[in-house]
Amino acid sequence: MTTDSKPAWDVLGAAATEAGIESEGAQLMRDGSNVMYRLPGGIVARIGRRGTADTARREVETATWLADQGIPTVKVVEGVRQLVVVAERPVTWWHLLPPHRPATPAELATVLKAVHSLDIPAHPQLPLHNPFADIAPRIHTATSINADDREWLLQRLDQLRADYHQLEVDQRRFVLHGDAWQGNVAVPENGQPILLDLEAFSIGPKQWDLVQIAVDYTDFARLTDADYKSFLTAYGDDDITETPEFRTFADIQELRWVAFAVSKASSNPNAAHEARHRIACLQGEESRPWTWSAL
């Protein structure tokens, strides 16, 4: 069950019936920002949060557009009603991926370079990237944190907003993936890397697609020197970690990850423990490199 008012399982059943898709025997694949179920026939149901139907519709349109641009991406199921809304929650239908592994840093860089080289499309209409989206609501509604931590996180958010708006950075706009990490590029046993999770596609400074792997390298030691060098070589650009704005971009990204953890904590004891740990890290109680568990 997610934090939305109607359980995802009930949403799935109603949406599948409306779309004429068999859902008996569905298996939960992921319960994150979206809930994903594997259905018979190699179909994946993706259930969004309440009020995100426009985002889900754009994700389907983006998948079609990317395929037209020659960028391999997760494929929508054709011949069915592609967007069904149940209890304000959108459900879309996708083909199950073949056996695959996450991308290497170099493979991720190659895909990002291709995405950033695309012309900004007239359709789908991609929104401006908002690095602060969802942070405040997730902190305000979190039930697993105490009042002091909530106030500290909100003050941290205000400070980072001010810091970001004072930055003097290259504001050229690029097509962005919006959640660029190695797990969002699937590499099958045979074939090209496949781009996943398209809901955050937007336009904005390309730093937002480069900062996640840079932070993995600098603040979490998830990458070796060789790993990060391979990313830079494949992307072919300057190292964001050596720019004056890097720390602000990194701090915003890390606050986003903390806000996600606190949003899952009310229904997930592991997330509650992880949220407390992440907050302690931001507050300086733990020294870098940090170890944060995936949720």
Side-chain angles (χ1 to χ4, degrees):
M1 183 182 297
T2 72
T3 54
D4 286 278
S5 59
K6 191 176 184 67
W9 180 258
D10 292 344
V11 171
L12 171 64
T17 298
E18 190 168 337
I21 292 175
E22 177 59 56
S23 64
E24 185 174 353
Q27 297 177 330
L28 180 66
M29 297 175 64
R30 188 178 74 185
D31 184 358
S33 296
N34 298 278
V35 181
M36 298 174 64
Y37 285 95
R38 178 176 179 170
L39 308 182
I43 293 176
V44 173
R46 185 180 178 93
I47 305 173
R49 292 169 293 161
R50 293 177 61 191
T52 59
D54 288 344
T55 299
R57 183 179 295 105
R58 187 172 60 247
E59 184 176 12
V60 171
E61 294 170 350
T62 299
T64 302
W65 170 67
L66 287 171
D68 291 342
Q69 303 304 308
I71 295 181
T73 186
V74 60
K75 295 180 180 179
V76 299
V77 176
E78 299 179 347
V80 300
R81 182 174 173 184
Q82 192 37 250
L83 176 65
V84 180
V85 180
V86 176
E88 301 182 63
R89 301 186 68 179
V91 184
T92 51
W93 317 100
W94 304 82
H95 285 288
L96 183 69
L97 293 171
H100 61 276
R101 60 170 172 81
T104 65
E107 289 166 337
L108 172 62
T110 300
V111 172
L112 288 180
K113 184 175 182 180
V115 169
H116 295 169
S117 70
L118 296 172
D119 292 332
I120 295 173
H123 183 81
Q125 291 186 330
L126 300 179
L128 287 174
H129 183 71
N130 177 9
F132 301 101
D134 295 332
I135 296 179
R138 284 173 166 171
I139 295 172
H140 278 296
T141 58
T143 59
S144 64
I145 58 176
N146 60 45
D148 289 343
D149 283 344
R150 189 189 318 278
E151 181 62 24
W152 188 91
L153 290 170
L154 291 172
Q155 289 179 357
R156 177 72 167 164
L157 173 59
D158 289 342
Q159 182 60 58
L160 288 175
R161 278 198 183 110
D163 292 346
Y164 180 62
H165 290 305
Q166 290 175 2
L167 289 178
E168 295 182 4
V169 297
D170 185 351
Q171 290 294 330
R172 285 181 297 167
R173 294 178 179 176
F174 295 81
V175 175
L176 303 179
H177 177 273
D179 188 16
W181 65 290
Q182 290 167 248
N184 274 342
V185 175
V187 183
E189 296 173 357
N190 298 295
Q192 296 177 290
I194 301 169
L195 193 58
L196 313 178
D197 283 357
L198 312 179
E199 67 176 344
F201 255 76
S202 52
I203 57 176
K206 62 185 177 182
Q207 289 96 324
W208 289 118
D209 272 352
L210 304 178
V211 71
Q212 289 199 41
I213 197 164
V215 168
D216 278 348
Y217 173 62
T218 59
D219 289 10
F220 295 90
R222 292 172 180 150
L223 302 179
T224 65
D225 291 345
D227 287 334
Y228 190 58
K229 184 177 180 180
S230 72
F231 177 87
L232 296 176
T233 300
Y235 189 82
D237 203 359
D238 295 333
D239 183 356
I240 187 177
T241 68
E242 296 179 354
T243 63
E245 66 268 18
F246 169 66
R247 191 66 256 163
T248 298
F249 277 86
D251 288 346
I252 294 169
Q253 181 60 58
E254 289 164 358
L255 184 60
R256 291 186 61 82
W257 287 333
V258 170
F260 174 72
V262 301
S263 75
K264 304 299 293 181
S266 62
S267 59
N268 183 336
N270 291 333
H273 174 79
E274 180 65 18
R276 289 191 295 270
H277 171 62
R278 293 184 184 189
I279 292 170
C281 289
L282 292 195
Q283 292 176 337
E285 296 178 20
E286 302 282 346
S287 59
R288 296 183 179 94
W290 296 327
T291 299
W292 291 5
S293 299
L295 295 173

